[in-house]
Amino acid sequence: MAFSLNHFTNFASLLFLFLFLEPAFATTRKLAALVQEQPLLLKYHNGPLLKGNVTVNLVWYGKFSPIQRSIIVDFFNSLNSDGTPSPSVSSWWETTAKYRGGPCNVNLGNQVFDENYSLGKSVKTSYLAALASKAGRGKNPITVVFTSADVAVDGFCMSRCGTHGSGQGEKAKFAYAWVGNSVTQCPGQCAWPFHQPIYGPQTPPLVSPNGDVGIDGMIINLATVFAGTVTNPFKNGYFQGSADAPLEAVSACTGIFGKGAYPGFPGEVLVDKTTGASYNAIGMNGRKYLLPAMWDPETSTCKTLV
């Protein structure tokens, strides 16, 4: 299931029309009201969710620096960490516990490093499950595949920034997710709001919290597809719309990072006084991240941390 760009593109195009064809509608209040009018109900389709203790294996396809890998690893380690200052990554992840089955406790498992591009630099979608199967071991395993900035994946930038799906192992099904580094291919699509968008008003981008637009953009997309993997792993969990193009736990809340968000504006977020970087979540080792809103099944709304 892909984290589609169509939802973002449609809102961006709509915003463009309001701003330039009918200035009377170009207000924060009215645009926000327009978004709020859209019904938001993720139906449960009676399938299994990934709950309890879950092992997350990582596949690094292409070249990532140690610092880049540590930013992503720290994000995973922050999901269930206690004691980090508020607003914390773990408090963002706690919303998944409100879905049927209770909490999902994430434990990092194997890491596979494919720095020699064993499948080349142009990767077909069908290859992703094959890459994921290289590391798919552990209890309730999820394998996340990361592709570096010089790797092209089918549909990347054109229709999606990441995706998740499932494969068949020797003993059982396994879930996997994939996210690519968009910094050299389409940062305006897959690294917004840390890069100017390709559509809509060209407002200055936010400063990325870890000083790496590509990786901080990957964190946003990772949060999106990983939450979808846990709450809709096999196309019969929580989603709205078609099972083949669903709105899921986070993709239903695309573009919302703080209060007052509307198409083209991520909302009110925190700003680091020293670096000027924007963030809304704090993780382990003092990491700061910008995480998208997640649909809260108790309130049927997109929940933000700030």
Side-chain angles (χ1 to χ4, degrees):
M1 275 147 276
F3 170 30
S4 173
L5 290 171
N6 293 336
H7 193 55
F8 168 79
T9 302
N10 290 340
F11 273 129
S13 300
L14 181 63
L15 178 63
F16 178 87
L17 290 174
F18 273 110
L19 287 176
F20 294 99
L21 299 183
E22 189 59 67
F25 283 94
T27 67
T28 300
R29 180 174 57 83
K30 290 184 178 180
L31 281 171
L34 179 66
V35 174
Q36 291 170 1
E37 288 174 3
Q38 305 301 314
L40 188 59
L41 179 63
L42 271 60
K43 181 181 177 182
Y44 176 54
H45 293 79
N46 302 314
L49 309 184
L50 297 179
K51 296 293 185 172
N53 293 321
V54 172
T55 300
V56 178
N57 303 302
L58 309 180
V59 175
W60 305 94
Y61 188 82
K63 292 180 170 57
F64 291 87
S65 71
I67 293 176
Q68 290 178 322
R69 291 196 298 268
S70 68
I71 294 169
I72 293 174
V73 168
D74 282 346
F75 169 74
F76 281 112
N77 285 329
S78 299
L79 292 176
N80 298 122
S81 64
D82 296 323
T84 50
S86 181
S88 65
V89 172
S90 59
S91 63
W92 174 82
W93 187 244
E94 282 173 2
T95 301
T96 63
K98 298 181 181 181
Y99 291 68
R100 287 176 184 259
C104 174
N105 300 310
V106 175
N107 301 292
L108 280 182
N110 302 317
Q111 294 192 54
V112 175
F113 303 91
D114 190 340
E115 296 183 332
N116 295 319
Y117 308 91
S118 63
L119 299 176
K121 292 188 177 182
S122 183
V123 177
K124 295 181 180 179
T125 301
S126 59
Y127 295 170
L128 296 174
L131 283 170
S133 67
K134 292 183 177 182
R137 295 186 294 274
K139 184 170 183 178
N140 293 333
I142 302 173
T143 297
V144 184
V145 178
F146 300 102
T147 51
S148 57
D150 55 349
V151 175
V153 178
D154 280 351
F156 188 38
C157 297
M158 292 182 288
S159 62
R160 58 185 180 174
C161 302
T163 192
H164 73 90
S166 61
Q168 183 64 49
E170 294 181 1
K171 297 182 179 180
K173 273 187 174 183
F174 66 90
Y176 71 87
W178 156 73
V179 177
N181 188 334
S182 68
V183 69
T184 60
Q185 298 180 56
C186 57
Q189 292 167 294
C190 293
W192 183 85
F194 301 127
H195 191 281
Q196 288 178 303
I198 58 173
Y199 300 108
Q202 299 299 296
T203 54
L206 303 182
V207 178
S208 63
N210 292 287
D212 188 319
V213 168
I215 296 297
D216 280 315
M218 288 182 79
I219 291 292
I220 293 172
N221 300 323
L222 170 61
T224 301
V225 298
F226 192 66
T229 303
V230 169
T231 58
N232 186 32
F234 306 116
K235 293 188 176 183
N236 53 8
Y238 282 87
F239 64 89
Q240 181 191 70
S242 166
D244 292 322
L247 291 177
E248 299 177 317
V250 174
S251 61
C253 303
T254 296
I256 301 174
F257 298 90
K259 293 179 181 178
Y262 58 83
F265 175 60
E268 300 174 5
V269 297
L270 302 175
V271 177
D272 186 289
K273 295 180 180 179
T274 302
T275 65
S278 294
Y279 68 100
N280 62 5
I282 301 172
M284 293 183 65
N285 298 320
R287 292 282 187 201
K288 294 178 179 177
Y289 301 100
L290 187 68
L291 301 180
M294 188 185 304
W295 186 76
D296 186 331
E298 291 185 352
T299 62
S300 295
T301 60
C302 291
K303 181 180 179 181
T304 60
L305 288 173
V306 294

